[in-house]
Structures are given as C-alpha cells and as structure tokens.
Amino acid sequence: MVDLRDTWFVRDVEIPTRLVLAPMAGVSVQAFRRQGRRFGAGLVCSEMVSCAGIEHRNERTLGYLRIASDEHPLAIQLFGSEAQTMAEAARMVEAAGADIVDLNFGCPVKKVTKTGAGATLLDDPDRAARIVSAIAEAVDLPVTVKLRRGLRDGSRDCLVVGPRLVDAGAACLTLHPRSAQQMYTGTADHALTAELVSLVDVPVIASGDVTSRARAQAVLATTGASAVMVGRGAQGNPWVLREIVDGDGAEPTREEVVAELVLFVRETVRELGERRAAGFLKKFYGWYLGRGRFPRPFKQELVQLATLAEVEERLLAAAPGAADVLARLREETPAADHTTLDLPVSIYAGG
Ligand SMILES: Cc1cc2nc3c(=O)[nH]c(=O)nc-3n(C[C@H](O)[C@H](O)[C@H](O)COP(=O)(O)O)c2cc1C
C-alpha cells in the first residue's frame, strides 16, 4: 500500500506528501492554498491565470495572483493559446517565485476553448507540444501539464497527447479522465490514468472523484500514479485532506469549523479586498457549514448580511468557544507576506 506521507519529486522539486490540492478557478485563493498545505497537501496550485493579460490587459479579472512564502511548493497554472506569450508569462511566474509552472490543457469552458486555450489543445498535439517546448526552454522551473481525457466522450486522446508533451519537456502530467464534453458529469475513468502511467516516464497525478483515504489508496494502487489530486472534496472541507493523508477521520467540532471559516474570511478579505471578497465568499458558507450541525436557515442568514464583520460576529456567536481556537490558529498561521504576480486571475472557471 502506498504511504500518502511519502515524498516524491517533480524533477528536482520535492513534494512532501502524495496529496495535491487541485487548481479551481473561483476557489483556489491564497487562503485555500495555505489552508491546504496546513492540512496535509504536499503541493498546491493556483487557479488558472490568463496569459492574454500580457497583451491585452482587458481580461475580465478577479484580481492579480498573490503568493505567500509559506505556500511552497506551489505550482502556478497558466492558460493561453500562443507559445511565445505563454513563455513570457512563464518567465513572470518564475520571477514571482513559484516552484512549478503548470499549463491548463483541460478547461472545458467555452469562453476559454474558443480562444484556442484549455481543452482544445488536446485536439492539436503539435501546437500543444510546441507550447510545452517553448515554455520549457524559457524557464528553469519544471513545466507540468494538466489535461482531460480528450474533447469528446470516450476520447482516448490524452494517451497520444500526453507522451508527446513529455517528449516536449513536461516534467509531470495531471490527468482528469473526463472528457471536456462531460464537464463534471459521469465519473473519472482512472483506467485511463493507469494507461497513461504506463506510457510515460514522468510522474502522473490522478485527478477526479478522490474524496476519501480509501479512494485515494485505491486510485494510487490501481493506477501507479505518483499522487492524487483533490478538488471539490476539499471545498469548505480541509479536514478531508487530513483524513486522506493521515487517516484521521475525526469530524471537526462546531468551534473548529467556525474558526477555520473566520480565518478564511479574514485572509480572503486581505487578498481580494472587502467588496470582492463578500461576493466570492458566499458559496463557502454553505460548504463549511455542512459540518458542525448548523441549522439550515443560519447559512441563508449569513449570505444576506451586509458586511463581513457581521458575518464574523454571527459565526462567533454561534460557537462561542471558536474564539480560542481562532486565537491559536492565528498564532500558528501568521499573516502571510506576499509577492504579486502581474497576471490576471481569470473569472472563467474550469478544468
Ligand atoms: C469550480 C472549479 C474550478 C476549476 N478550475 C480549474 C482550473 O482553474 N484549472 C484546472 O486545471 N482545473 C480546474 N478545475 C478542475 C479540478 O482541478 C479537478 O481536475 C476536477 O474538479 C476533478 O477533481 P475533483 O473530482 O476532485 O473535483 C476546476 C474544477 C472546479 C469544480
């Protein structure tokens, strides 16, 4: 059985556990990534940032990516369609201090695919390989690629494109074995992940439907992947990461849930500013408060409050002991220093 606490390498970057936190547009802010590291993710990844911003500066954006010194190892994910622009963006990622440049060849969202970026690259292995080799030449960091199985249902294109990308210089591949057409329906077919592992001599990360330690162990054992990636399962639930890595399946107390959520709110306000954070955070209330036996109307109440200060007040009133847990957490997690990467975080979700 694979030990989730084993270290492994993406080229020369040491990853301390076999659990990777997924890039998720509209979710993977700095607070999410730092929390993921704290709960056992060995590698975290930014949501996709747009290379188009370099040329046009008109990408609709959620803001600019900030990197904290305690996130490392950190991958920053780029999406784009043009090799030279992407290479320039990759140099900026390197200068900003990331450990890995990850490329998004999996986003199924129309706004992205219609520009020739994301999953469309799976249909054009030559262009995909040209992009990887241009970036591998431009930076010293390892270049990794995240892909879907192909564009259409039943596609096995990842088995053709994947090895081409490795030949072009990719140091690791992540496979989410759904088609772009599938979006998030059906299930991730990790039999394909096993086939990809057998075809390449770089590590492969298995992404899709990993939500428990049992599932993580099964996917690692049956595919030969070097690590599993967890996405939706970790939304508002960092405790699942601890369960996966350490087998500690203890349900968090109401106090712990509130303390983590309040810390998340504060960090997100620091990153996005009060106005943008208020909208961004709404979806997280429901995600977090699924644990701790909070009454349903409580979540709706939070969403309707006018300010985040009121949200915090209501949360702490619902679990008075949370203030002590929060104080401890803040001691262990000092406010992050940060570097800003001058590339826009895209509003277009997907992968
Ligand atoms: C809201 C959301 C946003 C996502 N954004 C990205 C992204 O920016 N880049 C990417 O490569 N994948 C993205 N993905 C895909 C995830 O990284 C992951 O591959 C997928 O959700 C399957 O894993 P899961 O079953 O653990 O969620 C996104 C998924 C979701 C649900």
Side-chain angles (χ1 to χ4, degrees):
M1 190 140 32
V2 181
D3 183 352
L4 270 292
R5 279 270 171 205
D6 269 352
T7 58
W8 60 290
F9 286 85
V10 173
R11 208 185 65 196
D12 49 349
V13 177
E14 184 172 351
I15 317 286
T17 70
R18 295 190 178 261
L19 175 59
V20 179
L21 191 62
M24 287 186 284
V27 177
S28 302
V29 289
Q30 194 185 84
F32 185 78
R33 304 191 304 262
R34 291 180 83 209
Q35 182 188 59
R37 291 282 292 124
R38 221 168 6 97
F39 277 84
L43 175 66
V44 296
C45 186
S46 78
E47 60 191 292
M48 55 187 198
V49 296
S50 171
C51 300
I54 290 184
E55 286 175 332
H56 308 302
R57 301 265 161 215
N58 62 354
E59 180 76 17
R60 282 178 64 203
T61 175
L62 265 178
Y64 293 85
L65 193 77
R66 295 195 341 171
I67 304 167
S69 56
D70 59 1
E71 292 185 47
H72 299 283
L74 165 75
I76 290 185
Q77 188 183 67
L78 297 174
F79 77 97
S81 59
E82 207 273 309
Q84 285 321 311
T85 316
M86 291 185 78
E88 194 186 325
R91 279 192 287 266
M92 292 167 71
V93 166
E94 182 166 52
D99 303 286
I100 290 171
V101 185
D102 188 56
L103 307 179
N104 181 317
F105 289 3
C107 182
V109 175
K110 266 241 164 57
K111 288 219 166 69
V112 169
T113 54
K114 77 176 187 201
T115 67
T120 22
L121 285 158
L122 300 171
D123 244 7
D124 193 345
D126 290 340
R127 196 158 58 88
R130 270 202 308 279
I131 289 176
V132 170
S133 71
I135 295 174
E137 254 171 52
V139 294
D140 291 331
L141 298 183
V143 178
T144 63
V145 185
K146 183 160 177 288
L147 37 156
R148 284 201 175 218
R149 65 182 295 162
L151 282 180
R152 284 159 290 276
D153 289 355
S155 169
R156 295 166 57 81
D157 287 349
C158 60
L159 302 179
V160 176
V161 180
R164 289 280 311 274
L165 303 180
V166 172
D167 289 343
C172 174
L173 300 175
T174 300
L175 179 63
H176 175 202
R178 281 186 172 87
S179 69
Q181 188 183 356
Q182 258 182 299
M183 302 293 283
Y184 293 93
T185 62
T187 52
D189 179 4
H190 284 297
L192 269 182
T193 312
E195 285 190 64
L196 183 63
V197 169
S198 71
L199 292 174
V200 296
D201 58 4
V202 296
V204 172
I205 302 170
S207 170
D209 305 342
V210 176
T211 52
S212 66
R213 181 173 173 86
R215 185 73 192 130
Q217 298 278 20
V219 167
L220 289 172
T222 56
T223 62
S226 298
V228 286
M229 178 177 272
V230 175
R232 289 166 296 170
Q235 290 171 338
N237 186 12
W239 298 278
V240 79
L241 303 175
R242 193 165 63 194
E243 193 264 330
I244 290 173
V245 172
D246 290 328
D248 172 1
E251 272 292 305
T253 62
R254 179 180 275 211
E255 283 68 28
E256 285 171 310
V257 173
V258 165
E260 284 295 338
L261 177 52
V262 170
L263 184 66
F264 193 85
V265 168
R266 289 183 185 173
E267 283 203 37
T268 305
V269 169
R270 241 194 340 261
E271 182 174 4
L272 301 181
E274 167 95 20
R275 196 180 56 80
R276 283 210 330 268
F280 172 88
L281 284 165
K282 286 194 166 140
K283 56 187 179 284
F284 284 87
Y285 303 147
W287 288 341
Y288 271 91
L289 301 179
R291 260 150 290 277
R293 299 174 185 276
F294 293 91
R296 187 178 289 266
F298 184 59
K299 299 170 203 169
Q300 282 141 13
E301 245 173 73
L302 290 186
V303 172
Q304 279 152 16
L305 291 173
T307 66
L308 290 173
E310 287 170 87
V311 169
E312 188 171 310
E313 208 175 287
R314 286 296 253 282
L315 281 167
L316 290 171
D324 291 340
V325 183
L326 181 62
R328 269 202 308 278
L329 266 179
R330 291 187 59 195
E331 253 169 54
E332 289 162 20
T333 321
D337 55 332
H338 70 270
T339 314
T340 302
L341 174 68
D342 193 21
L343 287 173
V345 173
S346 175
I347 59 162
Y348 311 132

